Amino acid sequence: NAGVMQNPRHLVRRRGQEARLRCSPMKGHSHVYWYRQLPEEGLKFMVYLQKENIIDESGMPKERFSAEFPKEGPSILRIQQVVRGDSAAYFCASSPPSRERYEQYFGPGTRLTVT
Amino acid sequence: AQSVTQPDIHITVSEGASLELRCNYSYGATPYLFWYVQSPGQGLQLLLKYFSGDTLVQGIKGFEAEFKRSQSSFNLRKPSVHWSDAAEYFCAVGAKEYGNKLVFGAGTILRVKS
């Protein structure tokens, strides 16, 4: 059973460009979460999605960031007009439905560097 | 607001020595508790979890953790550390009152000296 897959693993963008991060959850998992890890900090929740629905986006910056989890295909975290402060590791996690949804399995992360 | 505290930023132990990493949380109700390990440049691997029942839980790689409600703690322990345990360890907490997200501590970096 393949784990959570993220791509790309490393992404370099110049200021003002767009960054697209992809996440494929584990088989059988219908819940996807995105977290951001700034250098020397713990992970901070960004957004929680189910298929075609954003359930909780309380951790998402109000501007430039968006996320989706379409009916078909991976979840996408999109950052428009990136700035240096967006440089971080972005982790996707997935969980099974029902009460085990707190048991989240993480992907390897995408390390975004903004130059 | 909910919070998770890992008071030790760095810990160094000798190979073969015992280990305890501390984690305290502030929540009103019984939380779901987790420990994750992250090797440099890698993702997070779930070591163990506590949902309910026996307050001493066993995890992978010989780790265990004990939930102490009176102290709001969930400390991670290992009786004998191996050099391969060197990594960063994160405590995380989930609770129904705060939605589906996990709240993470800042992490503890473990160094193992031979």
Side-chain angles (χ1 to χ4, degrees):
Chain A
N1 187 10
V4 178
M5 298 174 64
Q6 290 187 250
N7 67 81
R9 295 289 304 273
H10 299 274
L11 183 62
V12 179
R13 285 287 178 266
R14 285 197 286 269
R15 280 178 296 171
Q17 291 184 319
E18 178 180 286
R20 281 187 179 233
L21 289 61
R22 294 174 183 77
C23 169
S24 297
M26 287 179 70
K27 187 176 181 180
H29 287 192
S30 55
H31 302 247
V32 166
Y33 313 79
W34 286 93
Y35 292 82
R36 178 165 62 176
Q37 184 180 32
L38 295 170
E40 301 184 2
E41 293 187 17
L43 278 73
K44 297 286 194 295
F45 168 81
M46 299 180 75
V47 62
Y48 160 45
L49 310 103
Q50 295 178 21
K51 286 284 187 182
E52 299 184 282
N53 283 303
I54 297 174
I55 308 302
D56 180 357
E57 56 181 349
S58 59
M60 287 277 271
K62 293 287 186 282
E63 297 177 350
R64 301 187 297 108
F65 285 72
S66 62
E68 63 177 6
F69 189 16
K71 188 176 180 181
E72 301 290 337
S75 175
I76 306 285
L77 179 68
R78 182 181 177 206
I79 311 173
Q80 295 178 292
Q81 300 175 336
V82 296
V83 300
R84 288 232 171 95
D86 297 332
S87 295
Y90 292 83
F91 290 95
C92 169
S94 72
S95 68
S98 73
R99 67 183 183 88
E100 284 89 19
R101 64 183 181 276
Y102 291 99
E103 187 170 336
Q104 297 177 16
Y105 294 85
F106 284 78
T110 294
R111 281 151 183 87
L112 172 66
T113 302
V114 179
T115 61
Chain B
Q2 67 275 28
S3 68
V4 180
T5 302
Q6 293 180 246
D8 303 304
I9 299 174
H10 297 96
I11 282 186
T12 301
V13 298
S14 297
E15 192 169 15
S18 64
L19 170 71
E20 183 170 28
L21 302 183
R22 294 182 290 165
C23 174
N24 293 93
Y25 62 89
S26 64
Y27 277 89
T30 300
Y32 302 99
L33 300 162
F34 305 85
W35 275 98
Y36 287 87
V37 61
Q38 183 182 33
S39 297
Q42 302 298 311
L44 278 73
Q45 182 180 22
L46 180 63
L47 281 176
L48 46 75
K49 63 182 186 278
Y50 172 79
F51 283 7
S52 64
D54 192 348
T55 56
L56 182 64
V57 293
Q58 303 297 320
I60 62 172
K61 305 184 179 187
F63 285 93
E64 66 178 25
E66 186 172 12
F67 170 54
K68 293 186 177 180
R69 184 189 305 275
S70 61
Q71 298 176 20
S72 296
S73 69
F74 188 57
N75 293 349
L76 182 71
R77 300 194 294 249
K78 187 169 184 178
S80 178
V81 168
H82 188 262
W83 64 267
S84 61
D85 293 325
E88 189 161 16
Y89 292 79
F90 293 95
C91 179
V93 180
K96 292 178 184 176
E97 294 78 7
Y98 302 109
N100 297 278
K101 63 185 178 187
L102 293 180
V103 177
F104 282 81
T108 297
I109 296 173
L110 172 65
R111 298 192 179 106
V112 180
K113 58 181 181 180
S114 55

